[in-house]
Amino acid sequence: MDRRRFIATGAAGTAGAVTLAAPKLASAQPRIRWRCPGSFPKSLDTLYGTQEYIARRVSEMTDGAFQIQVFGPGELVPALQVLDAVGNGNVECGFTSGYYYLGKDPSLALVTCVPFGLSSRQHWAWLTHGGGRELYAEVYRDQGVIGIPAGNTAAQMGGWFRKEIKTVEDLKGLKFRIAGYGGNVLSKLGVVTQQIGGPDIYPALERGVIDGAEWVGPYDDEKLGFNRVAQFYYYPGWWEYSPSIDLMVNAKAYEELPAQYKAVLNAACTEGWHWMAARYDVLNPAALRRLIASGTQLRGFPRDVLTACYRASQELYAEIGATNPRFKRIHEKWDAFRLEQTQWLRVAEDSLGNFLAAATVQR
């Protein structure tokens, strides 16, 4: 046999064998189907849209082998019962915020955000390099879930009010929808606070059940129509500087995932966290202009109101820490990180930011 012909034939045969043996990911990995209820209305294409985005990316990165079916609030479980459903194993995962469930453990508020907290940039640094995620894993373990950071709204607004807030006295007796420990802070100043799921806020405002409400920011607030039932729109949202939203995964379901799927799920959630924050940064300015053009009255909280709220928040943290050692331990580490970051950014960025703001106004 011709030696060159033999080698060519053999090489072709080997290449063919390799090609036939290379499996597609979908056929090599188990096919998994999960259900994922969420706490956010389907009409909100950034909040609910991030839930969809993560599911789509998981499917794309596994060639369709790992599918997550997403649901809006009330379709499988109520908006504020997602953690319970995931922890009990009724569903495999859920898209929600830890601070909705702080009645179970006050440390769950820290998982999302607390008043006068971190910016979105600082928050990501805390979660990934400051030890935040490791500390929160301890909190979530008691609930039977693994928490994966999966979204962040970045800076929020201070909410909608039927009347102006000019002094601390104006807060007394006000019925206000708010989530997390921002509500506890305002309660110290005489506000009657309520936690209401997103889909139910507008009807409560319209019927006068509440006098005001906070949600996220201009883009979502416009979609939910709050400007039609309340005139005054306040800033800043000091209670939610950059709330982190988690994909909560049933601990047993997570451990049963192949290592590659765990990596895919974490990568998709990381993408979702940044996708949400960036999308809000793009959409909010134009929405705010539209709201103002339609008659919304933009107001800043008076300095004495902000000062009173800040002092009340420090009192609250001390009170909770006195009865809950874990909250105290995590909050002290979080606060040390916040202080260090604030000092660093004052040196590195604030001076330039102030100059640019002044220059923009002059221009």
Short mmCIF file of all heavy atoms in Angstrom, two decimals, residues 25 35 59 100 159 198 216 223 240 243 249 269 287 312 331:
data_model
loop_
_atom_site.label_atom_id
_atom_site.label_comp_id
_atom_site.label_asym_id
_atom_site.label_seq_id
_atom_site.Cartn_x
_atom_site.Cartn_y
_atom_site.Cartn_z
N LEU A 25 -23.35 19.94 24.39
CA LEU A 25 -23.54 20.12 25.82
C LEU A 25 -24.91 19.60 26.27
O LEU A 25 -25.04 18.96 27.30
CB LEU A 25 -23.40 21.60 26.19
CG LEU A 25 -23.59 21.95 27.66
CD1 LEU A 25 -22.55 21.24 28.51
CD2 LEU A 25 -23.50 23.46 27.86
N ARG A 35 -38.63 26.12 38.38
CA ARG A 35 -39.64 27.18 38.40
C ARG A 35 -39.14 28.32 39.28
O ARG A 35 -38.55 28.08 40.34
CB ARG A 35 -40.97 26.65 38.93
CG ARG A 35 -41.62 25.59 38.03
CD ARG A 35 -42.78 24.93 38.75
NE ARG A 35 -42.31 24.25 39.96
CZ ARG A 35 -43.10 23.85 40.94
NH1 ARG A 35 -44.41 24.06 40.87
NH2 ARG A 35 -42.61 23.24 42.00
N SER A 59 -30.22 29.32 29.94
CA SER A 59 -30.55 28.44 28.82
C SER A 59 -29.51 28.54 27.70
O SER A 59 -29.06 27.52 27.17
CB SER A 59 -31.94 28.79 28.28
OG SER A 59 -32.26 28.01 27.14
N TYR A 100 -37.74 41.94 52.43
CA TYR A 100 -39.17 41.69 52.54
C TYR A 100 -39.48 40.73 53.71
O TYR A 100 -40.62 40.63 54.15
CB TYR A 100 -39.72 41.07 51.26
CG TYR A 100 -39.81 42.01 50.08
CD1 TYR A 100 -39.69 41.52 48.79
CD2 TYR A 100 -40.04 43.37 50.24
CE1 TYR A 100 -39.79 42.36 47.69
CE2 TYR A 100 -40.14 44.22 49.16
CZ TYR A 100 -40.00 43.72 47.88
OH TYR A 100 -40.10 44.56 46.79
N GLY A 159 -39.85 58.72 46.93
CA GLY A 159 -41.26 58.39 46.97
C GLY A 159 -42.21 59.51 46.63
O GLY A 159 -41.83 60.67 46.42
N GLY A 198 -45.76 45.28 45.18
CA GLY A 198 -45.79 46.20 44.05
C GLY A 198 -47.12 46.34 43.34
O GLY A 198 -47.59 47.47 43.08
N VAL A 216 -39.35 52.41 43.25
CA VAL A 216 -37.96 52.34 42.77
C VAL A 216 -37.48 53.71 42.32
O VAL A 216 -36.81 54.43 43.03
CB VAL A 216 -37.81 51.30 41.64
CG1 VAL A 216 -36.40 51.31 41.09
CG2 VAL A 216 -38.15 49.90 42.15
N LYS A 223 -44.40 53.89 34.99
CA LYS A 223 -45.15 52.75 34.47
C LYS A 223 -46.32 52.37 35.40
O LYS A 223 -47.39 51.98 34.93
CB LYS A 223 -44.22 51.54 34.29
CG LYS A 223 -43.43 51.54 33.00
CD LYS A 223 -42.59 50.27 32.90
CE LYS A 223 -42.01 50.10 31.52
NZ LYS A 223 -43.03 49.80 30.49
N GLU A 240 -32.85 53.34 50.44
CA GLU A 240 -32.48 52.34 49.44
C GLU A 240 -31.51 52.96 48.43
O GLU A 240 -31.87 53.26 47.30
CB GLU A 240 -33.71 51.80 48.72
CG GLU A 240 -34.58 50.92 49.59
CD GLU A 240 -35.81 50.41 48.84
OE1 GLU A 240 -36.66 51.23 48.47
OE2 GLU A 240 -35.89 49.19 48.64
N PRO A 243 -30.33 48.88 46.53
CA PRO A 243 -30.80 47.57 47.02
C PRO A 243 -30.43 46.43 46.09
O PRO A 243 -30.61 46.51 44.87
CB PRO A 243 -32.31 47.75 47.08
CG PRO A 243 -32.61 48.85 46.13
CD PRO A 243 -31.44 49.77 46.18
N VAL A 249 -32.18 30.27 45.95
CA VAL A 249 -32.23 28.91 45.44
C VAL A 249 -32.37 27.94 46.61
O VAL A 249 -31.64 28.06 47.61
CB VAL A 249 -30.96 28.57 44.63
CG1 VAL A 249 -31.06 27.18 44.02
CG2 VAL A 249 -30.72 29.61 43.54
N CYS A 269 -26.42 35.29 37.00
CA CYS A 269 -26.89 36.24 38.02
C CYS A 269 -25.98 37.47 38.10
O CYS A 269 -26.47 38.59 38.29
CB CYS A 269 -26.98 35.54 39.37
SG CYS A 269 -28.36 34.38 39.52
N ALA A 287 -37.27 59.33 31.92
CA ALA A 287 -38.57 59.16 32.60
C ALA A 287 -38.82 60.31 33.57
O ALA A 287 -39.95 60.80 33.68
CB ALA A 287 -38.59 57.83 33.33
N ALA A 312 -32.20 58.63 63.58
CA ALA A 312 -33.13 57.54 63.93
C ALA A 312 -32.61 56.20 63.43
O ALA A 312 -32.79 55.17 64.09
CB ALA A 312 -34.51 57.83 63.36
N HIS A 331 -23.46 43.98 60.85
CA HIS A 331 -23.60 45.42 60.62
C HIS A 331 -22.31 46.17 60.93
O HIS A 331 -21.94 47.12 60.22
CB HIS A 331 -24.75 45.99 61.46
CG HIS A 331 -24.95 47.45 61.25
ND1 HIS A 331 -24.43 48.41 62.10
CD2 HIS A 331 -25.58 48.15 60.25
CE1 HIS A 331 -24.74 49.61 61.66
NE2 HIS A 331 -25.44 49.48 60.54
#
